[in-house]
Amino acid sequence: MALIVQKYGGTSVGSTERIQAVAEKVKRYHDEGNQVVVVVSAMSGETNRLVALAEEITARPSAREMDVLLSTGEQVTIALLSMALHALGKNARSYTGGQVHIRTDSSHSKARILDIDGERVKADLDAGRIVVVAGFQGTDEQGNITTLGRGGSDTTAVAMAAALDADECQIFTDVDGVYTTDPRVEPNARKLDRITFEEMLELASSGSKVLQIRSVEFAGKYNVPLRVLSSFEEGEGTLITLEEEDVEKAKIAGIAFSRDEAKLTIRGVPDHPGVAYQILGPIGEANIEVDMIVQNIGKDDTTDFTFTVHRNDLDEALDILHKTADELGAREVESDDRIVKIALVGVGMRSHAAIASNMFKALAKEQINIQMISTSEIKVSVIVDEKYLELGVRTLHEAFGLDRVEG
Amino acid sequence: MALIVQKYGGTSVGSTERIQAVAEKVKRYHDEGNQVVVVVSAMSGETNRLVALAEEITARPSAREMDVLLSTGEQVTIALLSMALHALGKNARSYTGGQVHIRTDSSHSKARILDIDGERVKADLDAGRIVVVAGFQGTDEQGNITTLGRGGSDTTAVAMAAALDADECQIFTDVDGVYTTDPRVEPNARKLDRITFEEMLELASSGSKVLQIRSVEFAGKYNVPLRVLSSFEEGEGTLITLEEEDVEKAKIAGIAFSRDEAKLTIRGVPDHPGVAYQILGPIGEANIEVDMIVQNIGKDDTTDFTFTVHRNDLDEALDILHKTADELGAREVESDDRIVKIALVGVGMRSHAAIASNMFKALAKEQINIQMISTSEIKVSVIVDEKYLELGVRTLHEAFGLDRVEG
């Protein structure tokens, strides 16, 4: 008998028929002798409906009241799913985030889970009940309703699994697992049976949208085995676990990419200690996230400094950078939003320095010019012209043999 | 500076425009220097939408989960109203029933309020905030969400007013006050400036639908001055208070009536002690509420027994009564659902025995046959053929001078 936490997203519970289908699925796991906790999102469309109501009232709704409003979405789903389980003869009970003491900080709309009291849930499980918990929400120390932000239901599920010391946390989505890369770009993309937390994190942060980053971090931190699988199809999905022993061969997990990149360059900055901070400080203060950063020594004791931001933030970053350039006496400011990022991810990379150079070689063979490079322990990212996205992904997918089954 | 609790029902908050209008109204009271707590219902239509979702899932939803589902309706309204108040520059904060500790018993869908902790609300009021509270809901001792049943928002408002020792509890509805009788039946019906709790209770229990009975009982018990007024028009409404001193003259407050009546008669029951219980016991066990009861001695030491029930319960009551008749050896069972109840209500009745006879005289003059009579301290009710409803109401309205302004 295992204790399983399952999470079903908005599409999976998008209609009463689908909620009934989820109930059937949950019932099967429970019939097999497992204890099951189900975490659900709002029915798809519901959050948008609520946001539209708020927008009819005011252009700037308070974050606290927005959380009160949006948290009703999951509350509707937990009630309906519990009813559907009752209709199948199962004993089930629903709880809001507050009711099972999902305690968060007070950052409305992007709260972080501090603590979960699993006692009430455990008592229900021991009594043979299926427990249905509202994802995405909690309450702060004063009892105010908070939400974890979009996608936060994944985090609720993982945190609940950690609190209950669950055997597995299963995230049901509309894809059947984690792929070596996006199958819409590379038809030979292959579903992975297993992947490590670190690899999953790097894939997610490089644009692969299967799971919310924070939930993967959480799962890694508390070592909760995490499985991604399809709500609509049968299958084992992809299991995300701690590093496996068998990583000696240069194993690449997959290729992530992001189209939402823009690049800014400030040229001819008089070089002195602290110049990086002077350039990036004002960007950070404007809450603009900077991804890749490259600094080159230019001619005449000046330096060239390039960094990437999300494409939506380009205009604002550019305004700020122009001001900084004036203050620093820089020569010029350039920008380019027709770039993409491609990243090779794999824990095997650590012990195989050759991977980066093989990557560059494969791209060079196809005449793909690399504009920026950034490396981490288990990832190599490159910035290239956006017209090379598909070619670059397919070239690397083949060069590293990702279409072949793992050894 | 007064402390006012206001309650706005589903029609008053039926759209975002109306919620904004409510916010304007609340702001005016607050601008005048009052402390204001607002209790709101779900937006009209929302409860039906949620019920329909549940019905798509199962024909017999559990009462606990139904409460989890339906309580989201008010939660949406409190968030939107708070946002609308913010947009008008007011400091406002929303609370669900559970958040302000509206503690109830565990009777899901018809819970009773046991206790309210007003401390959190008081702290907000003292900080200059308008407090917006979800009506109709609370939590039981275990933290389960409960609802008070339809119309329960009135009760929430009154209970909140009692807990806060408020100066007045104002119930905003789609009528502008309490009338001497239904203006659709008697065009000369007059709005009352004041009425006593007892009169209001009798009016409500006799079919006048302005306020939920339980909320009036509660207001009477805790002596909370209650005012009924219109959401849509200006005006002072009707104030419901403790008995006034000036009741010596035979004051009739109004005339209530109900079309939902049905009458059952069992004839020729061998008379012996306990026969009333033998007849009504099985009816009560079936949860059918009995209103008026009349027992007459018939011929041959047998008795005739007549009582009224809600028209919807007639068929079930008739089945039960037929069985009872067989057991008791009664002669026959009759029923009539083409009857109505008309009731004259007023605290002045206590000291004026002549009122009942004046009532019967006025009806007799119009050839209206009285089928049953029942009297309480401040009410005289009669059952008549339904074709006499309008004529009966108008006749009594004129006979007791209710169209004339109170002296």
Side-chain angles (χ1 to χ4, degrees), chain B residues 322-337:
Chain B
H322 273 296
K323 271 182 223 142
T324 308
D326 286 348
E327 287 164 22
L328 295 180
R331 202 166 57 242
E332 60 182 337
V333 167
E334 285 167 14
S335 71
D336 183 357
D337 65 351

Side-chain angles (χ1 to χ4, degrees), chain A residues 60-92:
Chain A
R60 295 176 182 278
S62 94
R64 180 187 187 278
E65 298 303 334
M66 209 56 194
D67 282 357
V68 173
L69 182 67
L70 295 185
S71 62
T72 63
E74 290 74 32
Q75 192 171 328
V76 167
T77 316
I78 58 171
L80 294 177
L81 180 55
S82 298
M83 290 175 191
L85 285 164
H86 295 161
L88 296 175
K90 285 291 174 188
N91 197 345

Side-chain angles (χ1 to χ4, degrees), chain B residues 34 116 124 177 407:
Chain B
N34 300 298
I116 293 186
D124 280 314

Side-chain angles (χ1 to χ4, degrees), chain A residues 105-221:
Chain A
D105 61 24
S106 300
S107 309
H108 287 292
S109 86
K110 46 180 193 296
R112 282 180 176 267
I113 294 178
L114 300 176
D115 190 34
I116 292 186
D117 175 7
E119 288 315 308
R120 182 158 188 177
V121 175
K122 269 186 193 140
D124 280 314
L125 291 175
D126 290 344
R129 292 193 190 96
I130 294 168
V131 176
V132 182
V133 176
F136 171 76
Q137 57 181 250
T139 47
D140 70 7
E141 206 167 354
Q142 286 76 44
N144 296 302
I145 296 169
T146 54
T147 71
L148 312 178
R150 290 214 177 213
S153 295
D154 290 356
T155 310
T156 303
V158 172
M160 186 59 79
L164 297 171
D165 197 18
D167 296 289
E168 197 166 290
C169 179
Q170 302 176 334
I171 310 285
F172 287 83
T173 68
D174 48 3
V175 299
D176 65 347
V178 180
Y179 276 71
T180 51
T181 194
D182 187 337
R184 285 167 299 188
V185 168
E186 167 55 274
N188 290 325
R190 190 172 45 77
K191 185 175 78 64
L192 296 161
D193 293 332
R194 296 172 86 95
I195 187 172
T196 68
F197 289 119
E198 284 175 292
E199 288 168 338
M200 191 65 212
L201 269 180
E202 294 285 15
L203 283 178
S205 66
S206 301
S208 181
K209 300 272 158 49
V210 181
L211 288 176
Q212 210 217 5
I213 289 183
R214 212 189 294 169
S215 67
V216 181
E217 285 173 357
F218 221 98
K221 186 171 165 194

